[in-house]
């Protein structure tokens, strides 16, 4: 029987999941999918997960060390000097190649391993370590190309006079309520709490309002006012 890598023989075996927006965090769909993938891999590999670390509503652009849950996981693994960090996909821990490679280097120095169950990262084998470097670079190149194409397409639409942005789907009475309460001195969070208490959905159909959601509505109202003045 093949020997299991040393890092997988010792605790802790830590699972890490992340979603980037409060809407995803609230629905739990993204988190549930990641959990299922990690649990399936752990079952196949005969691993027992010692703990879960969850960063809900944390952007992938945030440095790994600045994410509360991931930082805790890294501290635990570093203290143990062994173990494995399980993630569903490599972009859950790092979107930038340099960040990912930095984490891989840290893991190697401290004696633990990173494994992405989709196969994009596996530090437990020489081939896996090589492929991690190649695939991380390819993924970042793809993201850069997508950003460049999107930027060029938006610039072309602006030049053609196309108004960009999402269509307003929030009822006029809700928009008026938000504006009225804000003018009356209510905080963004107080407005959000009131809308949640009345079970009013957001413009995207979400069931939960946040201060940031209210701020987006107010920003859109300001934009509409400026547009009317310019006409």
């Amino acid at each position: 029987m093949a020997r299991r890598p040393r890092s997988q023989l010792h605790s802790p075996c830590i699972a890490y999941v992340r979603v980037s927006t409060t809407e995803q965090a609230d629905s739990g769909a993204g988190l549930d999918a990641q959990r299922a993938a990690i649990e399936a891999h752990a079952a196949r590999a005969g691993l027992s997960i010692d703990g879960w670390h969850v960063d809900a509503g944390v952007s992938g652009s945030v440095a790994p060390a600045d994410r509360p849950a991931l930082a805790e996981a890294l501290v635990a693994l570093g203290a143990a000097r062994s173990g494995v960090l399980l993630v569903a996909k490599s972009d859950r821990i790092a979107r930038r190649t340099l960040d990912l490679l930095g984490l891989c280097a840290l893991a190697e120095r401290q004696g633990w391993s990173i494994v992405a169950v989709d196969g994009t990262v596996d530090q437990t084998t020489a081939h896996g370590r090589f492929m991690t470097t190649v695939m991380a670079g390819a993924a970042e190149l793809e993201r850069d190309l997508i950003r460049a194409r999107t930027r060029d397409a938006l610039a072309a639409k602006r030049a053609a006079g196309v108004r960009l942005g999402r269509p307003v789907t929030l009822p006029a009475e809700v928009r008026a309520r938000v504006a009225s309460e804000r003018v009356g001195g209510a905080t963004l969070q107080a407005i959000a709490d009131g809308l949640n208490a009345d079970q009013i959905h957001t413009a995207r159909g979400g069931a939960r309002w946040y201060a940031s959601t209210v701020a987006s509505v107010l920003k859109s109202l300001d934009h509409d006012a400026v547009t009317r003045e310019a006409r």
Side-chain angles (χ1 to χ4, degrees):
M1 185 170 73
R3 292 180 59 190
R4 189 177 297 170
R6 178 179 180 275
S7 63
Q8 295 189 21
L9 289 171
H10 299 272
S11 63
C13 176
I14 291 177
Y16 172 75
V17 295
R18 177 187 67 80
V19 287
S20 60
T21 68
T22 51
E23 288 80 8
Q24 287 176 304
D26 187 54
S27 70
L31 295 176
D32 287 345
Q34 292 174 56
R35 283 180 181 273
I38 291 172
E39 288 172 345
H41 174 87
R44 289 193 301 269
L47 298 174
S48 177
I49 298 174
D50 297 296
W52 289 85
H53 291 254
V54 182
D55 275 322
V58 177
S59 171
S61 62
V62 176
D66 293 333
R67 303 180 202 166
L70 181 55
E72 290 179 1
L74 296 178
V75 169
L77 289 162
R81 311 297 292 186
S82 65
V84 59
L85 177 65
L86 289 177
V87 295
K89 298 180 179 181
S90 60
D91 65 1
R92 297 301 86 193
I93 53 172
R95 286 193 176 277
R96 296 179 64 250
T97 300
L98 287 179
D99 287 340
L100 178 58
L101 296 182
L103 285 175
C104 289
L106 175 66
E108 187 171 355
R109 289 196 304 271
Q110 295 182 341
W112 51 276
S113 298
I114 301 172
V115 174
V117 303
D118 69 342
T120 52
V121 180
D122 185 352
Q123 286 188 287
T124 61
T125 67
H127 180 265
R129 289 189 290 273
F130 171 74
M131 290 305 297
T132 295
T133 303
V134 173
M135 296 181 74
E140 184 166 5
L141 173 61
E142 181 181 12
R143 286 192 294 271
D144 287 344
L145 291 174
I146 290 173
R147 280 195 293 266
R149 288 195 294 269
T150 301
R151 187 169 55 246
D152 292 344
L154 291 175
K157 287 185 177 181
R158 291 192 191 95
V162 176
R163 180 178 176 179
L164 303 177
R166 295 176 180 271
V168 175
T169 58
L170 198 64
E173 59 270 22
V174 177
R175 286 157 57 87
R177 168 177 169 171
V178 170
S180 176
E181 291 185 5
R182 186 58 171 168
V183 171
T187 65
L188 298 178
Q189 189 59 56
I191 297 173
D193 291 341
L195 293 168
N196 289 330
D198 293 338
Q199 298 183 345
I200 296 174
H201 290 287
T202 67
R204 299 184 187 181
R208 188 78 181 169
W209 286 80
Y210 299 87
S212 59
T213 319
V214 175
S216 296
V217 173
L218 292 170
K219 184 177 180 181
S220 70
L221 292 173
D222 290 341
H223 179 274
D224 291 345
V226 171
T227 301
R228 284 194 298 271
E229 292 176 2
R231 285 177 176 172

